[in-house]
Amino acid sequence: MMVKKQEGTDAKLISPDIAGIAHAVDILRAGEVVVFPTETVYGLGADARSGAGVAQIFLRKGRPSFNPLIVHINSRVDAEIFSIFDSRARLVADTFWPGPLTLILPLRPGQTQIDPLVTAGLDTVAVRVPAHKIPRDLIAALGGAIAAPSANKSGTLSPTTPLHVMSSFGDDSPPIIAGGATRAGVESTILDLSVSNPVILRTGSITPDDLAPILGTIPAVVSDIYDETGRPKSPGLLLKHYAPRTKIRLRAIDVLPDEAVLAFGSTRFLGMRSNNLLRQERSGFVRDMIHPDRFRNLSETGDLVEAAANLFKMLHDLDGTNASCIAVMDIPSIGLGLAINDRLYRAAQST
Ligand code: TXA
Ligand code: MG
């Protein structure tokens, strides 16, 4: 039996054999999440192409904001499909991969392998090639990259055994490919190579001294921006966030003719205001009045997972329409709505 129930929990343990890996791939292809070991800690993975799958990661982790995730892939050559390596990045990758080193690199424009929710709309991407058979088999069988943060609830310690994963998620634990205790126990070193002077954003088992001979300089370490749980102490200081060029107006209940609309749920009660006159003639009126390029609905049925999966894609779409402003309808601050509102609020502040 490849899927068995652990006594006393609802966690499904998957064995790391061919049948188990194939089962895990089915789960990923269905837009769901699966936990797997790496040489550092256990990761909570989704198909990096699937916005719905990646939204599940944030839902499961209970993260109050969308932090960009690390993309796991099997080789530097495969990573070059969606990210850009200069000669410095190639040298570093070819020296330390596979292994516990994550590189922040420019996202390749026009790529289709990485959903915008993975990078939280940023134009950089965190990439690493794990040195562990299970994720390598999983990536190969999926035929694509896997986005994965550590497999724990937000604000708790990173898990190094399936038991840690289960105790963090409780009854709600996602399926776990069981691979015993992880070797390193500390998360990968994160090296930002998207900037001219390399910076270590998170220390790990690969040290500045290990990197120095390859980089030709000892990289600066930003050691105190992350707290003990790996969360940035002052978000926004170094962790950039996506900011559209177009102004953003939150909690819109009506729309001006030259605005773009980011809707959520039913637009029945959304009005159109022109010459100071509010018109709300019939259901779907605004929808008919606005150019289709300037209208996006995060989720017509008001589903927050669907909304999360669409958020950055739709903001990018609307940002390119030369509208005077993006009017965003109210989104409830529950579940994933918290993370959606956090990003919208930051975007609104920075325009
Ligand atoms: O060892 C590890 O790295 C584990 C295993 C599962 O691979 N993963 C892990 O992921 O620790 P996570 O999500 O817990 O930490 C990823 C960190 C976050 O602090 C995030 O802010 C940062 O990487 N990050 C991701 N993309 C970034 C980007 N484009 N720019 C700056 N920081 C980024
Ligand atoms: Mg973490």
Side-chain angles (χ1 to χ4, degrees):
M1 199 41 202
M2 65 190 178
V3 181
K4 55 175 188 258
K5 269 207 164 171
Q6 180 80 356
E7 204 68 60
T9 76
D10 284 324
K12 292 166 233 77
L13 287 182
I14 301 175
S15 62
D17 52 18
I18 292 176
I21 294 290
H23 175 60
V25 166
D26 288 343
I27 295 173
L28 294 175
R29 292 229 168 99
E32 283 293 333
V33 292
V34 81
V35 173
F36 57 85
T38 75
E39 76 277 34
T40 58
V41 299
Y42 273 74
L44 176 63
D47 183 339
R49 290 164 295 203
S50 165
V54 176
Q56 288 293 332
I57 292 179
F58 291 108
L59 186 70
R60 297 280 197 157
K61 278 193 76 94
R63 270 191 179 168
S65 69
F66 294 128
N67 281 346
L69 305 175
I70 295 175
V71 168
H72 301 72
I73 192 78
N74 275 351
S75 72
R76 193 255 297 160
V77 171
D78 289 347
E80 295 213 26
I81 296 170
F82 55 81
S83 56
I84 298 173
F85 287 68
D86 58 14
S87 53
R88 178 181 68 175
R90 284 201 180 121
L91 195 60
V92 172
D94 293 346
T95 307
F96 294 98
W97 284 354
L101 179 68
T102 297
L103 301 180
I104 309 293
L105 298 168
L107 198 59
R108 189 176 290 284
Q111 63 78 32
T112 56
Q113 298 298 300
I114 309 299
D115 187 89
L117 189 55
V118 173
T119 60
L122 294 174
D123 52 14
T124 55
V125 59
V127 198
R128 94 176 183 92
V129 173
H132 192 292
K133 187 175 185 319
I134 294 175
R136 297 188 67 80
D137 287 352
L138 192 61
I139 292 161
L142 178 69
I146 296 179
S150 49
N152 54 296
K153 286 268 188 194
S154 189
T156 64
L157 285 176
S158 290
T160 53
T161 65
L163 205 63
H164 289 164
V165 177
M166 288 183 222
S167 53
S168 181
F169 289 104
D171 287 345
D172 195 27
S173 181
I176 304 168
I177 308 179
T182 61
R183 193 153 39 85
V186 55
E187 292 101 330
S188 62
T189 302
I190 302 182
L191 178 67
D192 189 351
L193 290 181
S194 70
V195 287
S196 49
N197 293 320
V199 183
I200 294 182
L201 297 181
R202 181 174 74 187
T203 52
S205 52
I206 291 174
T207 66
D209 288 345
D210 294 334
L211 291 160
I214 312 301
L215 292 169
T217 167
I218 300 180
V221 182
V222 187
S223 53
D224 44 18
I225 53 161
Y226 292 102
D227 64 19
E228 58 283 354
T229 68
R231 252 193 302 194
K233 279 180 182 164
S234 42
L237 178 68
L238 253 141
L239 187 64
K240 298 186 207 96
H241 56 265
Y242 168 66
R245 285 169 294 124
T246 314
K247 265 195 341 199
I248 290 197
R249 188 161 68 79
L250 301 177
R251 302 204 159 148
I253 51 165
D254 53 28
V255 184
L256 296 173
D258 59 349
E259 288 186 328
V261 180
L262 187 63
F264 176 77
S266 166
T267 53
R268 266 178 82 172
F269 298 109
L270 196 62
M272 171 77 84
R273 189 178 292 276
S274 57
N275 304 325
N276 249 345
L277 212 69
L278 182 65
R279 292 167 65 196
Q280 193 185 27
E281 301 181 351
R282 58 189 159 75
S283 170
F285 171 66
V286 166
R287 180 74 194 81
D288 297 339
M289 295 291 290
I290 301 250
H291 189 280
D293 288 350
R294 286 190 174 172
F295 185 94
R296 292 287 182 275
N297 196 332
L298 289 168
S299 168
E300 279 173 25
T301 58
D303 176 44
L304 289 165
V305 174
E306 186 185 9
N310 283 329
L311 179 65
F312 294 105
K313 225 175 342 233
M314 291 185 171
L315 278 174
H316 271 287
D317 288 350
L318 297 176
D319 196 22
T321 63
N322 286 318
S324 64
C325 184
I326 301 171
V328 184
M329 284 176 66
D330 193 37
I331 293 155
S333 280
I334 45 163
L336 275 182
L338 285 170
I340 295 171
N341 282 327
D342 171 76
R343 282 302 159 183
L344 284 170
Y345 179 76
R346 287 166 197 262
Q349 297 305 103
S350 56
T351 53

